Amino acid sequence: MTASALTATVDLDAIANNVAILRAASHADVLAVVKADAYGHGAVPVARAAIAAGAAELGVAHLTEALDLRAAGIDAHITSWLHAPSADFAAGIAAGIDIALSSERQLAAVVAAARESGTTATVSVKVDTGLNRSGVAVDEWQSFTESLAKAHAEDAVRVRAAMCHLVRGDEPDHPLNDAQAARLDAAVADLTRAGVAPEVVHLANSPAALSRPDLARDLVRPGIALYGRTPLPDRGDFGLIPVMTLSAEVALVKKVAAGQGVSYSHTWIAPYDTTVAVLPAGYADGVPRLLSGKLSVRIGDQDFAGIGRVCMDQLVIDLGPDGGGVREGDRAELFGTGAHGGPTAKDWADAIGTIDYEVVSGIGARAVRRYTGSVAAELGVDDGSGQDRR
Ligand SMILES: *Cc1c(COP(=O)(O)O)cnc(C)c1O
């Protein structure tokens, strides 16, 4: 195994495990959400692993993300649901991407692109059932439906799915979940009456997929659970396995005398003669500066506290007076599965008042993605050299 200074190890067997758990819990097919470079894990290998493990489809936000997956040779059904006016719908149509629409303006642009190329665009309808973010707004719904029926009648579009996104999926028993599902079902009835019945319907994100099988229609649309982070910590881990382990090579070990300060502004002063280590991971790599003084790393079976400021490229840990037997070149786990103790992405999130979604998706491009697991070998993404995801 070739070492790299900073490594995000991505366990593709864990992806396979998590797909199986999501299918079993939801009794539905899985549309694996691989937006934002698969929440920082690497979109192409994760997409391949998810499909190999039985996920039916893929989903991303930007069309450019969908086009990148196609360019990598992934021929699965891909839905893309966030479009700005500059979006290249013609390219999306040419690549056979399912374009989820949030407005009549988007529909008109897609229809124009479809006419231009003389083809039929595959579209889905993103219904705003209460999130008031993306999705067709309530006041536009009727005229949107009429325009969609017209576009369908002239073969400019084929309507694949109706979808919406939950406001409070992470509160499974909240009545808003049921209200949103009812609004989506009503929208499907409207579309059906207009002659544009969707082929499939989906609304459940990770927490709903795991806890509300009654909300699953044809597909569930999980992101974070695919990556093995429980979306409902109070209800346990559901058997999910965390996919990403972030580790750094100890770059430098040195003595610091009692009374000396460490890192910018000397926010940590050595209370005793000690030994410190420098790790090549900083806020530019996604280690939040807010974690200064609040993180610990695991080396072997010992935990060591981060001390002083987290810098752009590096952070410092205290090895204690005896140095803990740590040597330059040893590997420090910044976060991992937590299965044998050791820090997790959730520990980081809790320490700074955010969610683990932000932690894993924020791990930067300098962390070399290394793909492991039997699936990795089968998919040819495990070349043993710490393959970069780009
Ligand atoms: C990101 C996203 C998801 C996945 O959400 P998780 O909470 O990570 O499961 C599903 N649907 C849409 C529309 C999204 O934007």
Side-chain angles (χ1 to χ4, degrees):
M1 178 164 125
T2 314
S4 55
L6 182 61
T7 305
T9 305
V10 175
D11 177 2
L12 296 179
D13 286 347
I15 292 277
N17 171 79
N18 301 337
V19 168
I21 297 229
L22 284 155
R23 292 179 75 190
S26 65
H27 311 293
D29 279 332
V30 165
L31 184 163
V33 178
V34 295
K35 65 189 181 187
D37 204 22
Y39 291 38
H41 294 66
V44 169
V46 167
R48 287 214 174 96
I51 294 290
E57 308 186 3
L58 302 169
V60 293
H62 294 236
L63 260 179
T64 49
E65 299 180 290
L67 295 173
D68 287 349
L69 292 171
R70 274 284 184 272
I74 292 172
D75 57 10
H77 189 90
I78 308 173
T79 306
S80 156
W81 53 69
L82 181 64
H83 319 291
S86 61
D88 189 350
F89 291 121
I93 294 167
I97 307 302
D98 179 344
I99 303 171
L101 303 168
S102 282
S103 74
E104 279 199 272
R105 279 86 62 212
Q106 291 178 3
L107 172 60
V110 168
V111 167
R115 277 192 195 129
E116 182 91 5
S117 62
T119 50
T120 302
T122 299
V123 299
S124 287
V125 180
K126 198 164 192 299
V127 185
D128 190 346
T129 58
L131 187 56
N132 291 311
R133 195 179 70 177
S134 278
V136 179
V138 172
D139 66 309
E140 282 184 38
W141 177 247
Q142 196 181 332
S143 66
F144 175 89
T145 307
E146 288 163 10
S147 302
L148 186 68
K150 200 163 150 267
H152 179 257
E154 52 186 64
D155 276 341
V157 299
R158 157 196 169 209
V159 179
R160 177 80 197 322
M163 63 186 280
C164 74
H165 199 38
L166 296 171
V167 178
R168 295 182 184 267
D170 54 355
E171 297 168 65
D173 302 323
H174 197 285
L176 188 51
N177 293 313
D178 303 281
Q180 286 191 265
R183 286 173 203 152
L184 183 62
D185 292 340
V188 170
D190 289 344
L191 293 169
T192 304
R193 268 193 300 277
V196 281
E199 296 164 18
V200 293
V201 177
H202 45 86
L203 70 156
N205 57 359
S206 293
L210 291 166
S211 66
R212 293 288 311 265
D214 59 312
L215 295 183
R217 296 296 184 261
D218 302 287
L219 293 151
V220 293
R221 220 172 48 233
I224 197 71
L226 193 63
Y227 306 104
R229 306 297 329 161
T230 177
L232 297 167
D234 295 348
R235 298 195 185 190
D237 66 10
F238 299 90
L240 300 167
I241 301 174
V243 174
M244 186 192 288
T245 296
L246 184 68
S247 69
E249 194 177 6
V250 173
L252 204 58
V253 174
K254 59 167 65 174
K255 303 273 187 212
V256 171
Q260 292 290 306
V262 168
S263 192
Y264 291 128
S265 301
H266 282 177
T267 58
W268 188 86
I269 308 286
Y272 36 69
D273 288 344
T274 193
T275 311
V276 303
V278 175
L279 302 181
Y283 59 76
D285 304 300
V287 184
R289 188 169 174 277
L290 289 171
L291 274 181
S292 297
K294 295 184 178 171
L295 70 95
S296 75
V297 307
R298 175 155 286 212
I299 303 177
D301 56 4
Q302 303 179 80
D303 293 317
F304 297 101
I307 52 175
R309 289 263 163 84
V310 171
C311 310
M312 183 181 291
D313 314 305
Q314 48 192 305
L315 60 86
V316 184
I317 57 174
D318 181 21
L319 299 175
D322 67 358
V326 173
R327 299 232 196 102
E328 292 172 359
D330 285 354
R331 281 208 92 74
E333 189 170 301
L334 281 81
F335 65 71
T337 64
H340 308 288
T344 65
K346 177 153 194 312
D347 293 335
W348 283 21
D350 289 348
I352 63 171
T354 185
I355 52 176
D356 44 14
Y357 291 65
E358 186 174 349
V359 171
V360 293
S361 65
I363 299 308
R366 265 198 309 206
V368 174
R369 269 60 174 177
R370 172 187 293 284
Y371 297 96
T372 62
S374 54
V375 187
E378 277 164 42
L379 298 175
V381 294
D382 174 27
D383 65 0
S385 65
Q387 170 184 309
D388 199 309
R389 68 199 154 120
R390 288 179 199 285

